[in-house]
Amino acid sequence: MTQALPKVVTFDEFVAKYPDNTGKRYELYDGVVVEMPQPTGDHEEIVVFLSTKITLEYSRLNLPYGIPKTVLVKPIENESAYSPDVLVLNLPNLVNEPLWKKQSTVTQAACISLVIEVVSTNWRDDYLKKYADYEEMGIPEYWIVDYAALGGREFIGKPKQPTISVCCLEEGEYRVSKFRGDDRIQSAIFPELNLTAEQIFLAGTVS
């Protein structure tokens, strides 16, 4: 029995059709529309915690950054579009984004200071596909927050343990540093951020 191939759509077709008023979230992976799993409460509490702490930090430093609610990140080289859990935009550079005004989409690394993905059951996307595309785009910093230790052992160790992978761009490639427990997160974008991995993980257990 043969399996039907998924329908391939362009980015323009994707943004014209989705969201489809069902309340579901979608991303585009090389022309294939993928429905995102409904996040858990723990996942969302961590997203709120990180958004709050990072907003306080860039506000303290008087940086022209902002965290939008729903913005797509589109690699130029393929028909993909991602909706990160936390996206820190460099607001003054948005004037150079051709898709910003009509489609709230960013394509240039100069507009993206930091991307954070909080790992769900589709962990391979965060560790492999998005990692490769964010690196190719030249996004300066990418965090993978694996609070439930869902990723493969090559990414979070054996035995598996909650891990935050901070990927900083150096000479066009990501250098990955891993943080666990009481490790203080080392961020090139926010070097004075005083936050441990455990504080982030505990944010998902507040209720």
Side-chain angles (χ1 to χ4, degrees), residues 121-145:
T121 52
N122 56 334
W123 58 267
R124 288 178 178 82
D125 298 330
D126 297 327
Y127 281 107
L128 298 171
K129 179 160 181 53
K130 291 181 182 180
Y131 176 98
D133 280 346
Y134 292 157
E135 182 182 63
E136 179 69 23
M137 290 178 70
I139 293 173
E141 191 163 308
Y142 170 39
W143 295 13
I144 305 172
V145 179

PDB file of all heavy atoms in Angstrom, residues 121-145:
ATOM      1  N   THR A 121       7.347  17.310  21.905  1.00  0.00           N
ATOM      2  CA  THR A 121       7.523  15.945  21.398  1.00  0.00           C
ATOM      3  C   THR A 121       8.196  15.913  20.029  1.00  0.00           C
ATOM      4  O   THR A 121       8.814  14.904  19.668  1.00  0.00           O
ATOM      5  CB  THR A 121       6.166  15.228  21.327  1.00  0.00           C
ATOM      6  OG1 THR A 121       5.245  16.055  20.592  1.00  0.00           O
ATOM      7  CG2 THR A 121       5.603  14.988  22.718  1.00  0.00           C
ATOM      8  N   ASN A 122       8.096  16.997  19.273  1.00  0.00           N
ATOM      9  CA  ASN A 122       8.758  17.064  17.963  1.00  0.00           C
ATOM     10  C   ASN A 122      10.177  17.618  18.115  1.00  0.00           C
ATOM     11  O   ASN A 122      10.611  18.507  17.387  1.00  0.00           O
ATOM     12  CB  ASN A 122       7.942  17.931  17.002  1.00  0.00           C
ATOM     13  CG  ASN A 122       7.690  19.332  17.528  1.00  0.00           C
ATOM     14  OD1 ASN A 122       7.685  19.556  18.741  1.00  0.00           O
ATOM     15  ND2 ASN A 122       7.488  20.281  16.640  1.00  0.00           N
ATOM     16  N   TRP A 123      10.928  17.047  19.060  1.00  0.00           N
ATOM     17  CA  TRP A 123      12.248  17.591  19.430  1.00  0.00           C
ATOM     18  C   TRP A 123      13.245  17.568  18.289  1.00  0.00           C
ATOM     19  O   TRP A 123      14.158  18.409  18.242  1.00  0.00           O
ATOM     20  CB  TRP A 123      12.801  16.818  20.635  1.00  0.00           C
ATOM     21  CG  TRP A 123      12.963  15.346  20.446  1.00  0.00           C
ATOM     22  CD1 TRP A 123      12.050  14.381  20.768  1.00  0.00           C
ATOM     23  CD2 TRP A 123      14.089  14.662  19.907  1.00  0.00           C
ATOM     24  NE1 TRP A 123      12.537  13.132  20.461  1.00  0.00           N
ATOM     25  CE2 TRP A 123      13.795  13.283  19.939  1.00  0.00           C
ATOM     26  CE3 TRP A 123      15.331  15.069  19.424  1.00  0.00           C
ATOM     27  CZ2 TRP A 123      14.688  12.311  19.471  1.00  0.00           C
ATOM     28  CZ3 TRP A 123      16.221  14.114  18.955  1.00  0.00           C
ATOM     29  CH2 TRP A 123      15.902  12.754  18.980  1.00  0.00           C
ATOM     30  N   ARG A 124      13.104  16.646  17.370  1.00  0.00           N
ATOM     31  CA  ARG A 124      14.072  16.577  16.261  1.00  0.00           C
ATOM     32  C   ARG A 124      14.070  17.857  15.433  1.00  0.00           C
ATOM     33  O   ARG A 124      15.109  18.256  14.894  1.00  0.00           O
ATOM     34  CB  ARG A 124      13.780  15.365  15.377  1.00  0.00           C
ATOM     35  CG  ARG A 124      14.129  14.036  16.024  1.00  0.00           C
ATOM     36  CD  ARG A 124      13.776  12.863  15.131  1.00  0.00           C
ATOM     37  NE  ARG A 124      14.161  11.594  15.732  1.00  0.00           N
ATOM     38  CZ  ARG A 124      13.440  10.937  16.641  1.00  0.00           C
ATOM     39  NH1 ARG A 124      12.278  11.467  17.049  1.00  0.00           N
ATOM     40  NH2 ARG A 124      13.860   9.794  17.153  1.00  0.00           N
ATOM     41  N   ASP A 125      12.913  18.492  15.324  1.00  0.00           N
ATOM     42  CA  ASP A 125      12.841  19.742  14.568  1.00  0.00           C
ATOM     43  C   ASP A 125      13.718  20.817  15.209  1.00  0.00           C
ATOM     44  O   ASP A 125      14.418  21.562  14.517  1.00  0.00           O
ATOM     45  CB  ASP A 125      11.389  20.236  14.495  1.00  0.00           C
ATOM     46  CG  ASP A 125      10.480  19.262  13.775  1.00  0.00           C
ATOM     47  OD1 ASP A 125      10.973  18.553  12.881  1.00  0.00           O
ATOM     48  OD2 ASP A 125       9.290  19.204  14.111  1.00  0.00           O
ATOM     49  N   ASP A 126      13.692  20.908  16.536  1.00  0.00           N
ATOM     50  CA  ASP A 126      14.466  21.936  17.229  1.00  0.00           C
ATOM     51  C   ASP A 126      15.962  21.668  17.149  1.00  0.00           C
ATOM     52  O   ASP A 126      16.760  22.585  16.933  1.00  0.00           O
ATOM     53  CB  ASP A 126      14.045  21.997  18.698  1.00  0.00           C
ATOM     54  CG  ASP A 126      12.586  22.400  18.868  1.00  0.00           C
ATOM     55  OD1 ASP A 126      12.090  23.196  18.050  1.00  0.00           O
ATOM     56  OD2 ASP A 126      11.940  21.906  19.814  1.00  0.00           O
ATOM     57  N   TYR A 127      16.348  20.399  17.332  1.00  0.00           N
ATOM     58  CA  TYR A 127      17.774  20.059  17.371  1.00  0.00           C
ATOM     59  C   TYR A 127      18.402  19.921  15.987  1.00  0.00           C
ATOM     60  O   TYR A 127      19.630  20.042  15.854  1.00  0.00           O
ATOM     61  CB  TYR A 127      17.971  18.750  18.124  1.00  0.00           C
ATOM     62  CG  TYR A 127      17.914  18.887  19.630  1.00  0.00           C
ATOM     63  CD1 TYR A 127      16.813  18.433  20.347  1.00  0.00           C
ATOM     64  CD2 TYR A 127      18.970  19.455  20.348  1.00  0.00           C
ATOM     65  CE1 TYR A 127      16.757  18.543  21.731  1.00  0.00           C
ATOM     66  CE2 TYR A 127      18.916  19.566  21.724  1.00  0.00           C
ATOM     67  CZ  TYR A 127      17.818  19.113  22.415  1.00  0.00           C
ATOM     68  OH  TYR A 127      17.766  19.223  23.781  1.00  0.00           O
ATOM     69  N   LEU A 128      17.608  19.637  14.983  1.00  0.00           N
ATOM     70  CA  LEU A 128      18.175  19.357  13.664  1.00  0.00           C
ATOM     71  C   LEU A 128      17.756  20.399  12.627  1.00  0.00           C
ATOM     72  O   LEU A 128      18.569  21.201  12.182  1.00  0.00           O
ATOM     73  CB  LEU A 128      17.772  17.948  13.222  1.00  0.00           C
ATOM     74  CG  LEU A 128      18.277  16.819  14.127  1.00  0.00           C
ATOM     75  CD1 LEU A 128      17.647  15.486  13.748  1.00  0.00           C
ATOM     76  CD2 LEU A 128      19.789  16.728  14.072  1.00  0.00           C
ATOM     77  N   LYS A 129      16.486  20.395  12.245  1.00  0.00           N
ATOM     78  CA  LYS A 129      16.065  21.243  11.135  1.00  0.00           C
ATOM     79  C   LYS A 129      16.160  22.731  11.467  1.00  0.00           C
ATOM     80  O   LYS A 129      16.755  23.516  10.724  1.00  0.00           O
ATOM     81  CB  LYS A 129      14.639  20.897  10.692  1.00  0.00           C
ATOM     82  CG  LYS A 129      14.172  21.790   9.561  1.00  0.00           C
ATOM     83  CD  LYS A 129      13.043  21.223   8.786  1.00  0.00           C
ATOM     84  CE  LYS A 129      12.634  22.154   7.654  1.00  0.00           C
ATOM     85  NZ  LYS A 129      13.759  22.541   6.791  1.00  0.00           N
ATOM     86  N   LYS A 130      15.556  23.131  12.585  1.00  0.00           N
ATOM     87  CA  LYS A 130      15.591  24.550  12.928  1.00  0.00           C
ATOM     88  C   LYS A 130      17.012  24.995  13.246  1.00  0.00           C
ATOM     89  O   LYS A 130      17.418  26.107  12.888  1.00  0.00           O
ATOM     90  CB  LYS A 130      14.642  24.831  14.096  1.00  0.00           C
ATOM     91  CG  LYS A 130      13.174  24.672  13.713  1.00  0.00           C
ATOM     92  CD  LYS A 130      12.249  24.974  14.879  1.00  0.00           C
ATOM     93  CE  LYS A 130      10.801  24.772  14.480  1.00  0.00           C
ATOM     94  NZ  LYS A 130       9.856  25.050  15.593  1.00  0.00           N
ATOM     95  N   TYR A 131      17.758  24.157  13.914  1.00  0.00           N
ATOM     96  CA  TYR A 131      19.168  24.458  14.198  1.00  0.00           C
ATOM     97  C   TYR A 131      19.901  24.789  12.898  1.00  0.00           C
ATOM     98  O   TYR A 131      20.608  25.801  12.806  1.00  0.00           O
ATOM     99  CB  TYR A 131      19.804  23.256  14.887  1.00  0.00           C
ATOM    100  CG  TYR A 131      21.281  23.385  15.168  1.00  0.00           C
ATOM    101  CD1 TYR A 131      21.741  23.763  16.428  1.00  0.00           C
ATOM    102  CD2 TYR A 131      22.232  23.114  14.179  1.00  0.00           C
ATOM    103  CE1 TYR A 131      23.103  23.871  16.697  1.00  0.00           C
ATOM    104  CE2 TYR A 131      23.589  23.225  14.427  1.00  0.00           C
ATOM    105  CZ  TYR A 131      24.026  23.596  15.689  1.00  0.00           C
ATOM    106  OH  TYR A 131      25.363  23.700  15.933  1.00  0.00           O
ATOM    107  N   ALA A 132      19.733  23.933  11.891  1.00  0.00           N
ATOM    108  CA  ALA A 132      20.434  24.133  10.621  1.00  0.00           C
ATOM    109  C   ALA A 132      19.964  25.400   9.914  1.00  0.00           C
ATOM    110  O   ALA A 132      20.776  26.173   9.384  1.00  0.00           O
ATOM    111  CB  ALA A 132      20.237  22.917   9.714  1.00  0.00           C
ATOM    112  N   ASP A 133      18.656  25.634   9.913  1.00  0.00           N
ATOM    113  CA  ASP A 133      18.130  26.804   9.215  1.00  0.00           C
ATOM    114  C   ASP A 133      18.480  28.104   9.942  1.00  0.00           C
ATOM    115  O   ASP A 133      18.836  29.101   9.304  1.00  0.00           O
ATOM    116  CB  ASP A 133      16.609  26.682   9.052  1.00  0.00           C
ATOM    117  CG  ASP A 133      16.232  25.782   7.890  1.00  0.00           C
ATOM    118  OD1 ASP A 133      17.104  25.483   7.066  1.00  0.00           O
ATOM    119  OD2 ASP A 133      15.057  25.377   7.812  1.00  0.00           O
ATOM    120  N   TYR A 134      18.395  28.116  11.264  1.00  0.00           N
ATOM    121  CA  TYR A 134      18.758  29.329  12.010  1.00  0.00           C
ATOM    122  C   TYR A 134      20.244  29.637  11.831  1.00  0.00           C
ATOM    123  O   TYR A 134      20.645  30.802  11.723  1.00  0.00           O
ATOM    124  CB  TYR A 134      18.424  29.164  13.490  1.00  0.00           C
ATOM    125  CG  TYR A 134      16.939  29.096  13.804  1.00  0.00           C
ATOM    126  CD1 TYR A 134      16.474  28.494  14.974  1.00  0.00           C
ATOM    127  CD2 TYR A 134      15.990  29.649  12.945  1.00  0.00           C
ATOM    128  CE1 TYR A 134      15.118  28.442  15.280  1.00  0.00           C
ATOM    129  CE2 TYR A 134      14.639  29.590  13.233  1.00  0.00           C
ATOM    130  CZ  TYR A 134      14.204  28.987  14.404  1.00  0.00           C
ATOM    131  OH  TYR A 134      12.866  28.934  14.702  1.00  0.00           O
ATOM    132  N   GLU A 135      21.061  28.590  11.808  1.00  0.00           N
ATOM    133  CA  GLU A 135      22.494  28.779  11.587  1.00  0.00           C
ATOM    134  C   GLU A 135      22.751  29.330  10.193  1.00  0.00           C
ATOM    135  O   GLU A 135      23.532  30.275  10.005  1.00  0.00           O
ATOM    136  CB  GLU A 135      23.219  27.456  11.781  1.00  0.00           C
ATOM    137  CG  GLU A 135      24.729  27.526  11.618  1.00  0.00           C
ATOM    138  CD  GLU A 135      25.374  26.164  11.770  1.00  0.00           C
ATOM    139  OE1 GLU A 135      25.078  25.268  10.928  1.00  0.00           O
ATOM    140  OE2 GLU A 135      26.148  25.976  12.712  1.00  0.00           O
ATOM    141  N   GLU A 136      22.087  28.754   9.207  1.00  0.00           N
ATOM    142  CA  GLU A 136      22.252  29.202   7.822  1.00  0.00           C
ATOM    143  C   GLU A 136      21.814  30.657   7.645  1.00  0.00           C
ATOM    144  O   GLU A 136      22.436  31.425   6.893  1.00  0.00           O
ATOM    145  CB  GLU A 136      21.441  28.301   6.884  1.00  0.00           C
ATOM    146  CG  GLU A 136      21.497  28.676   5.416  1.00  0.00           C
ATOM    147  CD  GLU A 136      22.858  28.429   4.777  1.00  0.00           C
ATOM    148  OE1 GLU A 136      23.626  27.591   5.303  1.00  0.00           O
ATOM    149  OE2 GLU A 136      23.150  29.058   3.760  1.00  0.00           O
ATOM    150  N   MET A 137      20.765  31.049   8.360  1.00  0.00           N
ATOM    151  CA  MET A 137      20.284  32.430   8.280  1.00  0.00           C
ATOM    152  C   MET A 137      21.254  33.408   8.940  1.00  0.00           C
ATOM    153  O   MET A 137      21.213  34.604   8.650  1.00  0.00           O
ATOM    154  CB  MET A 137      18.916  32.553   8.958  1.00  0.00           C
ATOM    155  CG  MET A 137      17.785  31.887   8.218  1.00  0.00           C
ATOM    156  SD  MET A 137      16.214  32.034   9.139  1.00  0.00           S
ATOM    157  CE  MET A 137      15.888  33.807   8.941  1.00  0.00           C
ATOM    158  N   GLY A 138      22.092  32.898   9.848  1.00  0.00           N
ATOM    159  CA  GLY A 138      23.015  33.761  10.551  1.00  0.00           C
ATOM    160  C   GLY A 138      22.429  34.384  11.803  1.00  0.00           C
ATOM    161  O   GLY A 138      22.907  35.422  12.271  1.00  0.00           O
ATOM    162  N   ILE A 139      21.394  33.755  12.365  1.00  0.00           N
ATOM    163  CA  ILE A 139      20.801  34.250  13.612  1.00  0.00           C
ATOM    164  C   ILE A 139      21.853  34.113  14.717  1.00  0.00           C
ATOM    165  O   ILE A 139      22.389  33.028  14.935  1.00  0.00           O
ATOM    166  CB  ILE A 139      19.525  33.470  13.951  1.00  0.00           C
ATOM    167  CG1 ILE A 139      18.449  33.780  12.900  1.00  0.00           C
ATOM    168  CG2 ILE A 139      19.028  33.808  15.354  1.00  0.00           C
ATOM    169  CD1 ILE A 139      17.193  32.959  13.027  1.00  0.00           C
ATOM    170  N   PRO A 140      22.175  35.193  15.417  1.00  0.00           N
ATOM    171  CA  PRO A 140      23.341  35.185  16.299  1.00  0.00           C
ATOM    172  C   PRO A 140      23.243  34.258  17.505  1.00  0.00           C
ATOM    173  O   PRO A 140      24.271  33.772  17.975  1.00  0.00           O
ATOM    174  CB  PRO A 140      23.465  36.645  16.754  1.00  0.00           C
ATOM    175  CG  PRO A 140      22.129  37.257  16.487  1.00  0.00           C
ATOM    176  CD  PRO A 140      21.575  36.540  15.310  1.00  0.00           C
ATOM    177  N   GLU A 141      22.022  34.010  17.997  1.00  0.00           N
ATOM    178  CA  GLU A 141      21.925  33.152  19.184  1.00  0.00           C
ATOM    179  C   GLU A 141      20.609  32.376  19.170  1.00  0.00           C
ATOM    180  O   GLU A 141      19.549  32.932  18.847  1.00  0.00           O
ATOM    181  CB  GLU A 141      22.044  33.989  20.464  1.00  0.00           C
ATOM    182  CG  GLU A 141      22.223  33.153  21.721  1.00  0.00           C
ATOM    183  CD  GLU A 141      22.760  33.991  22.886  1.00  0.00           C
ATOM    184  OE1 GLU A 141      23.784  34.680  22.695  1.00  0.00           O
ATOM    185  OE2 GLU A 141      22.149  33.960  23.965  1.00  0.00           O
ATOM    186  N   TYR A 142      20.696  31.100  19.530  1.00  0.00           N
ATOM    187  CA  TYR A 142      19.547  30.193  19.505  1.00  0.00           C
ATOM    188  C   TYR A 142      19.607  29.310  20.745  1.00  0.00           C
ATOM    189  O   TYR A 142      20.611  28.635  20.978  1.00  0.00           O
ATOM    190  CB  TYR A 142      19.596  29.350  18.222  1.00  0.00           C
ATOM    191  CG  TYR A 142      18.622  28.197  18.141  1.00  0.00           C
ATOM    192  CD1 TYR A 142      17.323  28.302  18.623  1.00  0.00           C
ATOM    193  CD2 TYR A 142      19.005  26.991  17.556  1.00  0.00           C
ATOM    194  CE1 TYR A 142      16.437  27.232  18.529  1.00  0.00           C
ATOM    195  CE2 TYR A 142      18.121  25.923  17.450  1.00  0.00           C
ATOM    196  CZ  TYR A 142      16.842  26.043  17.943  1.00  0.00           C
ATOM    197  OH  TYR A 142      15.974  24.999  17.848  1.00  0.00           O
ATOM    198  N   TRP A 143      18.551  29.345  21.559  1.00  0.00           N
ATOM    199  CA  TRP A 143      18.468  28.497  22.745  1.00  0.00           C
ATOM    200  C   TRP A 143      17.506  27.345  22.499  1.00  0.00           C
ATOM    201  O   TRP A 143      16.396  27.549  21.983  1.00  0.00           O
ATOM    202  CB  TRP A 143      17.940  29.267  23.953  1.00  0.00           C
ATOM    203  CG  TRP A 143      18.785  30.375  24.461  1.00  0.00           C
ATOM    204  CD1 TRP A 143      19.868  30.967  23.856  1.00  0.00           C
ATOM    205  CD2 TRP A 143      18.588  31.072  25.705  1.00  0.00           C
ATOM    206  NE1 TRP A 143      20.363  31.973  24.633  1.00  0.00           N
ATOM    207  CE2 TRP A 143      19.598  32.072  25.774  1.00  0.00           C
ATOM    208  CE3 TRP A 143      17.676  30.954  26.737  1.00  0.00           C
ATOM    209  CZ2 TRP A 143      19.686  32.941  26.865  1.00  0.00           C
ATOM    210  CZ3 TRP A 143      17.767  31.816  27.814  1.00  0.00           C
ATOM    211  CH2 TRP A 143      18.773  32.795  27.876  1.00  0.00           C
ATOM    212  N   ILE A 144      17.909  26.151  22.904  1.00  0.00           N
ATOM    213  CA  ILE A 144      17.031  24.984  22.886  1.00  0.00           C
ATOM    214  C   ILE A 144      16.805  24.583  24.338  1.00  0.00           C
ATOM    215  O   ILE A 144      17.731  24.123  25.011  1.00  0.00           O
ATOM    216  CB  ILE A 144      17.648  23.816  22.097  1.00  0.00           C
ATOM    217  CG1 ILE A 144      18.034  24.263  20.676  1.00  0.00           C
ATOM    218  CG2 ILE A 144      16.670  22.637  22.042  1.00  0.00           C
ATOM    219  CD1 ILE A 144      18.831  23.219  19.904  1.00  0.00           C
ATOM    220  N   VAL A 145      15.596  24.796  24.832  1.00  0.00           N
ATOM    221  CA  VAL A 145      15.281  24.560  26.242  1.00  0.00           C
ATOM    222  C   VAL A 145      14.556  23.214  26.357  1.00  0.00           C
ATOM    223  O   VAL A 145      13.367  23.113  26.089  1.00  0.00           O
ATOM    224  CB  VAL A 145      14.428  25.700  26.820  1.00  0.00           C
ATOM    225  CG1 VAL A 145      14.086  25.428  28.294  1.00  0.00           C
ATOM    226  CG2 VAL A 145      15.146  27.038  26.668  1.00  0.00           C
TER     227      VAL A 145
END
